Amino acid sequence: MRHVISVIVENKPGVLTRISALFSRRGFNIESLTVGHTENPKLSRMTIVVEGDTDILEQIEKQLYKLIDTLKVIDLPKDTSVNRELVLIKVIADKKNRSEIIQFTDIYRGKIVDVGENTLTIEITGDDGKLEAFISMMSKFGIKELVRTGKIALHRGEKTVM
Amino acid sequence: MKKINGARIILEGLKRQGVDTIFGYPGGKVIPLYNELYDFSGINHILTRHEQGAAHAADGYARVTGKVGVCVSTSGPGATNLVTGIMTAYMDSIPMVAITGQVATYEIGKDAFQESDITGITMPVTKHNYLVKDVKDLPRIIKEAFYIASTGRPGPVLIDIPSNIQQAEINFEEFEILHNEPIRLDSYNPNYEGHPKQIKSAIRMINQSKRPVILAGAGIIKSKASKEFIKFVERTNIPVGVTLLGLGSIPTAHDLCLGMLGMHGTYAANYSVFESDLVIAIGMRFDDRVTGNLETFAKNAKVIHIDIDPAEIGKNKKADIPIVGDVKRVLVKFLEKMPQREKTEWNETVTKWKNENPLVYKNSNEEIKPQYLIEKISELTNGEAIIVTDVGQHQMWTAQYYKFKNPDSHCTSGGAGTMGYALPAALGAKVGLPNKPVIAIVGDGGIQMTSQELMTLAHFNIPVKVVIVNNSYLGMVRQWQEIFYSNRYSQVDLEISPDFVKLAEAYSLKGVRIETPSELDEKLNDLLTSNEPVVIDVKVSKEENVLPMVPAGGDSHKMLGIKGEL
Ligand SMILES: Cc1ncc(C[n+]2csc(CCOP(=O)(O)OP(=O)(O)O)c2C)c(N)n1
């Protein structure tokens, strides 16, 4: 199963290496990892998407807690959290299909952020389902380049991780 | 105004942590530190002949004293030479602080002379590590390092200190202020108290079990819980199998002790686990050398797992009742609630297994059997010496045949299996406990990996007894080649070896060779009791095997050679 976990760590040099090295050392599979500082600049928040059953998830949490810089590890279940990812897509857009691409982008509430002679660059955010659908739609026109931020997530409602 | 530099801050910091001995080796990037050490009083420095020796010595020192062992090296090759020793300590949860010199902060990342990214290199083998970038962080980091190394599940911590940080000065008053700031590690809170509810459920589970067995690990020794543990065993009358690193937690000769578990464990210990309906794992981590095939290990048993490290619980074997906490505190709580439990039919069954299948070997009048040698050492020292072993057959024979009486009396590289460990670790152990007899038991292969430390024994007159169990082979590998690779002895012949007596003499140590059982009976006692370092080269039968044996990954109850022969 796929899990989205939030890891709150001290915002210190080397912490990202410690965390990512732990995953490869212990043979855990990372699908994506994002990091940035939180409302408190002394802390960073990593959002890590991993694949594994509950036993593996439990090991991941415990191993993360063993690192001295880890403050909190939280599994964010899909139904009680919001998660988002941002994708930039450079798609081939000639005169023929340009307006069609713009239409699709509108429907998916994406944004055209750059225009080239034969390309459009689109920014789109959303959850997995929406992004996958949009990307597959765009692949028909020809995707020249694509970059994703990796997923970030927060609890729904009042709840916070700290 | 009085000033203090980084190097002196290190020494002051160590001293204030109660450190009186460090093991190290100087070099370019720690010259400022050694310069301060030159006239610093209160810290004794043992100059080993290789940095690996310094790390193992700090390890041996820590294992027997329970204090944090400290080793020091220069940057680059000095630091990488420590790595094997740090990894060895990490695998066995030994409290250690390793201090390495680093190139100056402004040279870092430029492939400067003798630069190596030692914090990067040691990340997977340290509990934590630091690269110091500001001299003002140094007082705090030293305190934190000792705190982290010695609390929770202990382990090595490395502090990498650039040379210009060692040279940088601050006012002494400021140092005092920085030093006196309390440690604040929000993200590090080891849990020592076992959950009372879990303990209650565990007692219920123990009382309901019919065929319980205890797996005793190093955690018992580390938390100094041996007394409480023996009480617990006697209160519950549950038979005990001991891990390699748990040896000494209960006397081997104790009526409820079944001996060692696992690959070269006793029939009774392994078979009891296989037949059990409950295993109570205390301060152990279900290492593959203990469990063999996890699918069949304690197949029909419920599991109570007590350990200080939550990550060990459920890592290899699922626990029905996990109890995270310090073994001693948990056992004290158990003892408050646990009623006396009488012996049952299960005890009789287990005792029968024990009596019918003791460890056996065929003795000889002509050649010295290695098992006989270990039995002899056990007898002569009354099971009370500190025994430090290297890695290989002699290590397993020692675990099997030495009758350990006390905790903290057995040092061996269990998790890492590091050849070359014994001599330097024994040296460190003897420096830590000068009034205890310390015997290094080492193979003719392993001694050649760190034999340079014989010089350290002579230099500091450290009266360690070095017993070389000389079978002219890399014995343990030869044994595997014999059993699993149809006698194809590839690269294990050590017939061509130094004359160890002469080698000892070259280091101005006493060297003695013993070749027959009668010579052994005659000479060994005097050699072990004299107050000088000595190298004893004991020629033993060459192709003896360590038995019984569970093939790697095999079912631990299906042992080869239960009767002492294949
Ligand atoms: C540093 C290191 N290299 C290699 C090994 C693999 N190894 C394990 S036991 C062994 C043989 C040890 O031979 P010796 O020291 O003569 O001891 P014996 O087994 O004969 O008692 C070897 C090579 C190891 N454990 N450590």
Side-chain angles (χ1 to χ4, degrees):
Chain A
M1 219 180 91
R2 189 188 257 183
H3 296 270
V4 179
I5 49 181
S6 274
V7 188
I8 308 289
V9 297
E10 307 267 356
N11 184 8
K12 284 187 197 156
V15 176
L16 179 60
T17 324
R18 280 180 207 280
I19 304 258
S20 54
L22 175 95
F23 275 80
S24 64
R25 185 162 82 240
R26 296 271 171 194
F28 305 139
N29 284 327
I30 298 190
E31 260 180 45
S32 75
L33 187 157
T34 66
V35 60
H37 62 74
T38 65
E39 67 282 1
N40 175 352
K42 286 199 171 139
L43 302 180
S44 293
R45 178 169 177 141
M46 297 187 179
T47 308
I48 305 176
V49 181
V50 289
E51 186 65 45
D53 58 24
T54 41
D55 285 349
I56 290 180
L57 187 76
E58 191 180 316
Q59 258 301 302
I60 291 175
E61 285 183 16
K62 286 172 169 175
Q63 292 294 344
L64 283 169
Y65 272 122
K66 275 182 83 160
L67 298 176
I68 303 296
D69 295 317
T70 306
L71 277 152
K72 194 100 187 177
V73 184
I74 294 283
D75 181 20
L76 293 167
K78 212 174 168 172
D79 46 348
T80 54
S81 60
V82 272
N83 53 69
R84 288 289 179 276
E85 181 170 10
L86 187 148
V87 185
L88 290 177
I89 310 170
K90 186 169 290 182
V91 66
I92 297 170
D94 50 31
K95 286 202 183 73
K96 275 207 317 270
N97 55 25
R98 198 167 273 252
S99 59
E100 202 180 345
I101 293 172
I102 294 171
Q103 251 175 16
F104 277 127
T105 304
D106 275 348
I107 294 169
Y108 279 84
R109 274 180 277 163
K111 238 197 250 166
I112 309 286
V113 289
D114 189 56
V115 180
E117 208 163 310
N118 288 306
T119 58
L120 286 173
T121 300
I122 303 160
E123 170 197 311
I124 179 155
T125 32
D127 60 13
D128 287 340
K130 175 178 164 189
L131 295 180
E132 290 321 315
F134 186 73
I135 290 167
S136 98
M137 191 72 80
M138 286 303 114
S139 60
K140 286 184 204 133
F141 302 106
I143 294 174
K144 267 179 89 86
E145 205 176 10
L146 180 152
V147 59
R148 354 184 18 146
T149 57
K151 195 172 283 188
I152 52 171
L154 284 180
H155 281 297
R156 288 187 186 280
E158 309 276 301
K159 205 168 163 190
T160 58
V161 302
M162 289 296 279
Chain B
M1 203 177 274
K2 207 174 141 198
K3 297 263 187 189
I4 180 167
N5 67 13
R8 199 154 187 107
I9 290 176
I10 299 169
L11 296 175
E12 259 318 310
L14 293 179
K15 196 169 161 184
R16 292 180 187 196
Q17 290 298 322
V19 174
D20 52 22
T21 305
I22 61 181
F23 304 88
Y25 205 97
K29 296 301 168 196
V30 281
I31 293 183
L33 178 63
Y34 278 85
N35 182 53
E36 290 300 323
L37 186 66
Y38 185 71
D39 53 7
F40 190 86
S41 68
I43 290 186
N44 176 25
H45 181 274
I46 305 282
L47 175 70
T48 56
R49 263 45 175 186
H50 186 295
E51 290 87 352
Q52 182 185 350
H56 290 325
D59 171 318
Y61 178 93
R63 285 192 207 228
V64 300
T65 61
K67 295 199 279 184
V68 178
V70 179
C71 54
V72 179
S73 81
T74 190
S75 65
T80 56
N81 273 350
L82 287 179
V83 173
T84 301
I86 294 173
M87 171 271 216
T88 302
Y90 181 72
M91 291 298 281
D92 291 347
S93 313
I94 305 305
M96 178 191 282
V97 169
I99 293 171
T100 51
Q102 181 56 283
V103 300
T105 46
Y106 49 83
E107 293 173 323
I108 288 177
K110 310 216 162 120
D111 302 319
F113 178 64
Q114 295 194 326
E115 176 181 2
S116 71
D117 172 14
I118 198 65
T119 49
I121 289 171
T122 58
M123 208 172 270
V125 295
T126 49
K127 189 171 170 187
H128 195 54
N129 63 25
Y130 296 90
L131 169 59
V132 184
K133 290 196 169 150
D134 183 343
V135 66
K136 289 183 184 167
D137 290 334
L138 202 43
R140 168 183 61 82
I141 286 174
I142 287 171
K143 274 169 62 177
E144 280 183 14
F146 276 81
Y147 176 66
I148 291 170
S150 60
T151 53
R153 178 179 181 171
V157 177
L158 180 136
I159 315 175
D160 196 22
I161 311 173
S163 54
N164 60 329
I165 301 289
Q166 295 172 44
Q167 289 158 333
E169 291 188 330
I170 56 175
N171 288 330
F172 199 84
E173 276 165 25
E174 186 175 11
F175 161 68
E176 286 292 357
I177 293 167
L178 291 168
H179 176 80
N180 288 328
E181 272 173 23
I183 292 175
R184 265 202 60 205
L185 285 168
D186 298 340
S187 45
Y188 177 69
N189 308 296
N191 175 16
Y192 296 106
E193 307 295 340
H195 201 290
K197 242 191 177 158
Q198 299 286 81
I199 293 173
K200 228 169 119 190
S201 324
I203 291 176
R204 200 172 321 120
M205 192 175 269
I206 292 170
N207 286 331
Q208 283 165 357
S209 69
K210 295 217 155 56
R211 301 182 307 280
V213 59
I214 293 170
L215 315 182
I220 298 168
I221 297 171
K222 285 181 210 300
S223 79
K224 307 212 176 302
S226 193
K227 246 204 232 130
E228 290 76 8
F229 174 60
I230 294 166
K231 257 196 206 161
F232 175 78
V233 171
E234 290 172 352
R235 179 82 60 84
T236 56
N237 273 309
I238 298 175
V240 182
V242 186
T243 71
L244 176 63
L245 296 180
L247 289 169
S249 58
I250 181 168
T252 307
H254 193 286
D255 148 53
L256 285 161
C257 181
L258 304 175
M260 188 165 67
L261 290 157
M263 184 172 274
H264 293 296
T266 63
Y267 174 86
N270 285 338
Y271 211 74
S272 303
V273 173
F274 179 67
E275 289 287 333
S276 68
D277 66 352
L278 172 66
V279 299
I280 306 159
I282 309 182
M284 60 84 71
R285 60 182 176 87
F286 295 99
D287 178 78
D288 54 270
R289 279 323 194 231
V290 165
T291 64
N293 181 0
L294 268 169
E295 301 285 315
T296 56
F297 180 80
K299 198 172 161 203
N300 302 312
K302 291 238 156 51
V303 175
I304 298 171
H305 192 176
I306 305 170
D307 203 279
I308 186 85
D309 181 359
E312 287 304 341
I313 288 172
K315 186 182 80 181
N316 294 339
K317 179 95 187 155
K318 232 182 151 56
D320 297 281
I321 302 186
I323 302 174
V324 176
D326 171 67
V327 168
K328 185 171 185 150
R329 296 203 204 176
V330 171
L331 287 178
V332 166
K333 283 192 192 160
F334 261 102
L335 288 168
E336 281 167 12
K337 297 270 158 63
M338 187 82 219
Q340 181 66 39
R341 196 177 158 278
E342 296 312 316
K343 285 193 177 167
T344 64
E345 219 172 291
W346 169 242
N347 289 87
E348 272 169 45
T349 312
V350 170
T351 308
K352 197 164 148 252
W353 289 334
K354 184 173 160 179
N355 294 336
E356 284 174 0
N357 301 286
L359 293 165
V360 280
Y361 66 93
K362 231 197 231 121
N363 211 348
S364 154
N365 289 324
E366 277 95 59
E367 43 177 20
I368 299 170
K369 290 293 178 124
Q371 300 94 326
Y372 177 71
L373 166 64
I374 305 298
E375 282 189 319
K376 204 74 203 163
I377 296 173
S378 181
E379 193 187 301
L380 291 174
T381 57
N382 195 24
E384 289 175 333
I386 287 175
I387 301 294
V388 187
T389 62
D390 213 76
V391 172
Q393 290 184 307
H394 64 281
Q395 177 190 33
M396 292 298 120
W397 284 316
T398 305
Q400 291 178 328
Y401 289 95
Y402 193 89
K403 296 202 161 50
F404 290 96
K405 278 201 180 142
N406 305 313
D408 292 328
S409 62
H410 178 230
C411 301
T412 198
S413 167
T418 304
M419 279 172 76
Y421 170 82
L423 171 58
L427 169 178
K430 184 70 185 173
V431 169
L433 295 181
N435 297 323
K436 286 259 188 170
V438 175
I439 303 172
I441 299 178
V442 50
D444 45 325
I447 188 69
Q448 294 186 61
M449 286 206 172
T450 48
S451 60
Q452 75 285 346
E453 302 310 337
L454 291 172
M455 197 68 257
T456 316
L457 292 189
H459 181 165
F460 296 92
N461 191 26
I462 304 167
V464 166
K465 312 295 176 181
V466 183
V467 178
I468 302 175
V469 184
N470 189 342
N471 54 11
S472 306
Y473 274 118
L474 293 172
M476 188 56 96
V477 180
R478 184 209 59 74
Q479 172 170 344
W480 282 53
Q481 290 174 341
E482 176 191 332
I483 302 176
F484 304 113
Y485 293 88
S486 43
N487 287 305
R488 288 158 62 89
Y489 290 174
S490 180
Q491 303 298 318
V492 290
D493 192 335
L494 292 187
E495 203 57 64
I496 299 177
S497 277
D499 178 329
F500 292 114
V501 171
K502 283 192 185 153
L503 184 72
E505 286 164 1
Y507 286 113
S508 63
L509 292 174
K510 181 170 170 177
V512 181
R513 180 164 302 114
I514 298 183
E515 291 178 278
T516 63
S518 56
E519 251 185 303
L520 185 76
D521 293 346
E522 207 177 296
K523 291 185 184 163
L524 193 61
N525 189 40
D526 288 348
L527 291 170
L528 294 183
T529 46
S530 75
N531 197 30
E532 58 183 345
V534 55
V535 176
I536 313 167
D537 178 21
V538 186
K539 296 276 192 194
V540 299
S541 51
K542 292 181 62 175
E543 300 203 15
E544 195 70 17
N545 287 325
V546 181
L547 297 172
M549 173 175 200
V550 181
D555 301 336
S556 66
H557 62 291
K558 290 187 192 149
M559 312 187 72
L560 309 174
I562 294 162
K563 297 295 172 199
E565 273 171 306
L566 281 174

